[in-house]
Structure formats: C-alpha cells, structure tokens
Amino acid sequence: MINISSIDIAIIVAFLIGIIWWALRNGKSDDSDSYFLAGRNMKWPVIGLSLFAASVSSSTLMGHSGEGFITGIAVFNYNWISVLVMVFFALFFLPFYIKSGIFTMPEFLEKRFDKTSRYYFSFITIFGNVFLDAAATLYTGALIIKLIFPEVDLFVIIVIMAIVAGSYTIVGGLSSAINADMIQAIILIIGSGILYFFALHEIGGWEELYNRFGDGVWLKLTRPLDDPTVPWLGMWVGIPILGFYFWANNQVMVQRVLSAKNIDHGRKGVLFVGFLYLFTLFIFILPGLISRGINLFGVENLPMDIIPGGELKSQFGINTDQVYPRMIVKLLPVGLIGVILAAMISALTSTLSATLSSVSTLFTMDFYQRFDKNADSKKLVKVGRITSMVVLVIAIFWAPFIQRFDSLVSYYQEVVSYLAPPIVGTFFLGLFWQRSNAKGALWGLISGLFIAASIMIAKYVFDMPIGLHFLLLAPIVLVISVLVNVVVSLMTPPPNPVQVAENTWTKQVWIDETKELEGVVWYKNFRIISLGLVIACFVMYAIFF
C-alpha cells in the first residue's frame, strides 16, 4: 500500500474535474468535420502537444520506466528512431494525407487502390485500437489508482477511468480531446522533468549514476544481437517498421495531424513532437533505471544483472509496471505528488480519448456512411458517439487480461510487430511505386495477416518457440507481404492512372516544394528543421552508443 496525503488526493480530483470542464468547454460537435477532425483548423503547437499527450500511453510512461528498471536505456531506441520516422512521414506522406481531405487512414488506401483495401485496413485498425490502445491504457491507469486506493477492485477502477475519458470525448469529439491533451502534455512534461531531477538527486547525481551503471550495458543503446530487449539488428530493421505504423498509419495519431489548418502546420506539429520525444530518455526511462539503485521496492541486494520482468515478479515480488508511480510517491513532496499523479492519470485518459475518437471516426466514416449514404452530419456525429460507448465497454472487459504479459511494452510492441509490417509495406508501395495496384495491395495485406496470425497462434496458443526476436520477425513479414504485392501487381492489369497521379510521390513534388520554400526564413523552413532534428537524433545516439 502507498499512502498519499488528503491534499494530493484533493489535487487529483480537482485536476480531473478541471480537465473535463476545459475539454467540454472547448468541444465542437456541430457537424462531422468539427466532431471528427476539430474543424480542420488546428495550429502546429497544439497539434504537437496533442500528439505527445496521445502517444504517452503504456509504452511511454509505466512501460518505458519499467523497461528502464529491467534493462536500462535500450528501450529509448524505439523513441529516437521513431523521431527519424516522423521526419520521413512529415516530408513525404503527410502532404498527400492533408491534400486529399480524408477523414481516416483507410480512406487513403481507397483513393490509391480500392474500397476493399480500405475496409480491410479499417477493420484491422479498429481491432488494434480497441485491444491494444484502449485496453492497455485502461489497465495502466487502473494500476496507478490501485496504488493509491489498494482496497478498491481493479475492475472498478477500470470502469471509473473509462467514464472519465468518455465523459468529454463522446460529447465534444476530437476538439475536446485535443484541448485536454494540450494542458495534459505541458503538465506531464514539466512534472516528469521535476521527477527526473529528484531521482537524480536521490541517487547522488549523474556521476554516481554513471558509477553504478556505466560499466555494463545499462547506459548503452547498442546491444548484442542476442539481447532480449533490443538486438542491434532489430533496432535498425525492426523498430522503423513499428515506428512508421504508429506515427504514419495509426488513425489515433494521424487523426490529429489531419486536423491541421494546412500542410505547413501539420508538418511542424509532427516535427515539434519529434523534438519533445528526444527528452523522453530523461523524463520517462532514466528514472526507471535510477529506481533500481535506490531500493524502490524494499528489496535488499537486488542482483545487478538483467532479469526478465516475469522473474522479477516471481522471485522478488517486483512489478515493474509500478516503477513510475512508486517513484512519484517516494521522491516528491506533498502537493507535487498530487499534481504529477493527476497529470499522469489524465495523460493516460488522453490516450484513451484519442483511441475513442479514432475508432468512432473509422467505424462511422469507413463503414456506417457507406451503409447509410443519406446520413447527414448530425446523424454521423450520433453514430460516432454510440460507437465510442461500445468501444469503452469492450475495452473495459479486455483490460484485465493484460496482466498475463510480463510488461506493458512486451504486450504492445510484440503484437504490433506482427500486425504492422504488411500495412507499412502497402502504404510505401502505394506512395512510391506507381505499378502497385488494388489486387496487389489486398493480397499483400492478407498474406501479411496470415503470417502474423500463424506466428501468434504458434507462440501463444501452442507455446512453440519461435527462435527470433519480434524485431527481427517484423522485417521478414514486411518483405514477404511486399513481394506478394509486387508479384500480384505485375501479374494483373496496371492501376487507374488518375488514382496513381493524385496519390503517388514523384520528383516533381520535391521540385515544387523547393520553389515554395524560396525566401522562407530558415527557422520556418520545414526542411532545415527536419535536418536539425535528424542531427539531434544521431548526436544522442552517439552519446549513449
């Protein structure tokens, strides 16, 4: 049991009430554009902060600090390589998404290929949003509350978390979610930064941290090929696939980019969150590593070897998903504990609200609108709200099953590594290879799903050893699905030239953008900003090589 003061509890309650009030006050639900895409009028700082808050879910808060406790900073490889992915996405894919006026990622596949690919991807995305994003977010939020109120049943807490997130998202739509995200992101960044400095002070400063962990692999990003967390080859060939799916194909994230008032604001919003993500090493991951050296769980003489999360739980009673909230309560003073716990809880609910917006948009625009072609904007909004409520119910009942995984990171990243490759391959071929057609895209997607399903069934149903890290399996699934796409496309008639011309990148696009950037001051030039971000990524990698 973790005891916190009544002052901190009051702050948590007041903060949540304030966030709900603020979100509802700024909600827009007059029509489908307002409800699903916030009127397509958002500016880059709001987009960037919203992307950060929406992405700070189980894999970045409790998951990353837990992995820091188990294996050191290796999990940061997911973040800095994802920043490179964001740059690529902003430069090449984002303009096509915004110019096409789409509501959903599957809708882009229809514009480039056909409606069959759209329905398939929409279904897969909805499945992933419900069982990966929504359920994991509810579970992590419940773990935090459980630390504060241990006598309350976990399932009851999950239901309460769902009500908090749903209260403003279902009513106010994406605009409510984005405005809540903006406040939550600012407080979360500041609060987590404060926690980092308190943790660093507790262990005796950076020099003492390095003395304790500098000799092994704890402070190194490059790991051996047999490393269970991030083998070096998987870092280069596996993580980019997962990162591209999350930032460039995932409706939860891209929906916020689609709300931008123009392409430039969308690009700068993505680049802004990229810079913010470089700091996650310090505010999310290093505190987890530091906690290993300050006896956070009351276990004396914990071995300084890398021990899997499951063994830490069974042998020492250590649940690494509790590292981050335990550090907050152990290291911070009264009052500040309440603020950061409130921000942490609300950040998790922001991820849930983002997922609700995503699924309601996908179902309404990709499925229901096709069924009821005469539905007006108000009816579409109503359907979106009903969809959000159904998703909440499903996620509530699935969330408790996540306890079966060793850690939240292993739950999320492994499952995504099997589902993402065929989707990523289809988008890449669609944008950069003009010969890819609808049949090639469909069979590429189906083949990838078949391989992914086979791997998951073999591993989790029949307990068969796979023999390869999931970061090394991801590129194999990608290559096979791409080859199927290419072969089928070449064996069937070429695609519609009009669809290809409107939705395929060419060198002329780069030339036209170069002309548009003539005379633009350097700090407003998205290419120069992108270059600076890439340099920053490799500098950080070099420091912790």
Side-chain angles (χ1 to χ4, degrees):
M1 178 178 178
I2 294 178
N3 293 313
I4 67 172
S5 70
S6 57
I7 295 175
D8 292 312
I9 294 175
I11 290 173
I12 293 171
V13 174
F15 186 86
L16 290 176
I17 293 174
I19 280 293
I20 293 172
W21 171 81
W22 173 258
L24 290 174
R25 183 174 180 269
N26 290 278
K28 296 178 182 178
S29 58
D30 297 333
D31 53 58
S32 55
D33 256 27
S34 298
Y35 186 79
F36 295 114
L37 291 179
R40 301 183 192 261
N41 199 37
M42 291 294 170
K43 296 182 179 179
W44 68 264
V46 178
I47 294 171
L49 289 171
S50 179
L51 285 169
F52 185 84
S55 67
V56 175
S57 61
S58 55
S59 64
T60 50
L61 268 180
M62 299 172 73
H64 275 28
S65 60
E67 285 294 318
F69 185 96
I70 298 170
T71 63
I73 68 169
V75 72
F76 181 65
N77 284 306
Y78 287 95
N79 294 3
W80 80 265
I81 290 183
S82 289
V83 174
L84 298 179
V85 171
M86 294 179 210
V87 172
F88 189 88
F89 164 60
L91 291 179
F92 298 102
F93 280 81
L94 185 150
F96 286 90
Y97 290 171
I98 295 181
K99 281 191 296 185
S100 63
I102 58 176
F103 279 84
T104 69
M105 287 295 91
E107 191 177 350
F108 180 78
L109 286 185
E110 180 179 13
K111 287 180 176 291
R112 175 60 179 87
F113 299 114
D114 65 355
K115 62 182 181 181
T116 305
S117 298
R118 175 181 182 175
Y119 292 150
Y120 170 87
F121 181 39
S122 187
F123 174 79
I124 292 296
T125 305
I126 290 174
F127 178 87
N129 286 169
V130 174
F131 292 99
L132 294 180
D133 300 309
T137 301
L138 282 174
Y139 174 67
T140 52
L143 283 179
I144 301 170
I145 303 296
K146 186 73 173 174
L147 288 172
I148 305 169
F149 304 105
E151 68 279 0
V152 181
D153 184 74
L154 187 72
F155 185 76
V156 173
I157 298 173
I158 288 172
V159 173
I160 294 173
M161 294 291 298
I163 293 173
V164 171
S167 61
Y168 62 84
T169 309
I170 294 173
V171 175
L174 185 63
S175 55
S176 282
I178 287 180
N179 278 283
D181 290 347
M182 181 177 63
I183 304 298
Q184 291 161 347
I186 293 171
I187 294 178
L188 183 64
I189 292 168
I190 295 173
S192 297
I194 292 172
L195 178 62
Y196 164 70
F197 286 108
F198 270 85
L200 197 62
H201 174 75
E202 179 73 13
I203 202 172
W206 180 264
E207 185 175 350
E208 180 61 25
L209 172 64
Y210 188 80
N211 288 338
R212 294 199 190 189
F213 298 103
D215 292 337
V217 297
W218 299 98
L219 290 172
K220 295 185 182 299
L221 292 173
T222 304
R223 299 296 178 92
L225 191 59
D226 60 350
D227 185 81
T229 307
V230 186
W232 68 265
L233 183 59
M235 177 180 71
W236 292 111
V237 301
I239 293 178
I241 299 172
L242 274 62
F244 191 86
Y245 170 78
F246 184 79
W247 291 101
N249 297 150
N250 188 353
Q251 179 72 19
V252 172
M253 306 308 299
V254 181
Q255 188 166 343
R256 279 148 169 70
V257 179
L258 297 178
S259 71
K261 64 185 300 183
N262 56 42
I263 294 173
D264 189 58
H265 278 277
R267 272 177 165 151
K268 289 177 180 174
V270 173
L271 297 176
F272 179 38
V273 76
F275 278 107
L276 293 178
Y277 246 64
L278 292 179
F279 293 96
T280 57
L281 171 63
F282 302 99
I283 63 177
F284 297 149
I285 300 169
L286 275 177
L289 176 58
I290 292 172
S291 68
R292 194 179 181 96
I294 61 175
N295 196 14
L296 185 66
F297 290 88
V299 178
E300 298 290 344
N301 301 318
L302 183 67
M304 291 302 292
D305 299 322
I306 293 179
I307 303 173
E311 292 184 25
L312 283 171
K313 186 181 293 185
S314 61
Q315 293 184 24
F316 302 98
I318 294 175
N319 184 349
T320 55
D321 291 334
Q322 295 181 358
V323 168
Y324 200 80
R326 277 179 176 269
M327 289 197 74
I328 291 174
V329 176
K330 179 180 176 65
L331 300 178
L332 299 181
V334 172
L336 196 54
I337 290 175
V339 171
I340 298 181
L341 279 176
M344 189 176 176
I345 294 169
S346 61
L348 292 167
T349 60
S350 74
T351 304
L352 179 58
S353 71
T355 305
L356 294 178
S357 296
S358 167
V359 177
S360 66
T361 305
L362 287 166
F363 178 80
T364 305
M365 307 309 293
D366 288 344
F367 293 102
Y368 183 81
Q369 192 178 43
R370 292 299 181 92
F371 171 76
D372 187 355
K373 296 182 180 180
N374 297 321
D376 58 16
S377 288
K378 290 186 177 180
K379 189 170 185 180
L380 292 177
V381 170
K382 182 179 179 180
V383 172
R385 287 172 173 159
I386 294 173
T387 303
S388 295
M389 287 187 283
V390 173
V391 169
L392 268 182
V393 172
I394 296 173
I396 285 170
F397 285 99
W398 177 252
F401 287 96
I402 299 175
Q403 297 177 83
R404 298 183 179 183
F405 292 81
D406 285 347
S407 76
L408 294 166
V409 169
S410 66
Y411 166 74
Y412 185 87
Q413 290 169 343
E414 183 167 356
V415 175
V416 170
S417 70
Y418 302 142
L419 296 177
I423 295 168
V424 172
T426 302
F427 271 85
F428 261 85
L429 288 177
L431 191 69
F432 294 111
W433 190 45
Q434 297 183 2
R435 187 61 178 80
S436 182
N437 62 18
K439 290 184 178 180
L442 179 61
W443 283 105
L445 290 168
I446 291 176
S447 64
L449 178 64
F450 175 78
I451 297 170
S454 300
I455 294 173
M456 293 175 69
I457 291 172
K459 185 170 184 178
Y460 293 110
V461 177
F462 296 104
D463 293 323
M464 294 174 58
I466 302 300
L468 278 179
H469 194 281
F470 63 82
L471 288 177
L472 300 176
L473 280 172
I476 294 174
V477 178
L478 175 69
V479 170
I480 293 174
S481 63
V482 166
L483 286 175
V484 170
N485 189 324
V486 171
V487 171
V488 174
S489 294
L490 292 175
M491 293 176 62
T492 52
N496 186 327
V498 176
Q499 288 179 287
V500 171
E502 293 177 350
N503 300 290
T504 307
W505 189 89
T506 63
K507 187 178 179 181
Q508 187 60 43
V509 174
W510 183 272
I511 295 173
D512 292 341
E513 289 181 342
T514 302
K515 292 180 180 179
E516 293 174 3
L517 290 172
E518 291 178 358
V520 175
V521 65
W522 67 270
Y523 59 84
K524 293 183 178 180
N525 187 319
F526 68 86
R527 288 184 183 170
I528 294 178
I529 298 172
S530 299
L531 179 61
L533 187 51
V534 170
I535 292 173
C537 281
F538 282 103
V539 167
M540 288 200 70
Y541 178 66
I543 292 173
F544 296 99
F545 177 80

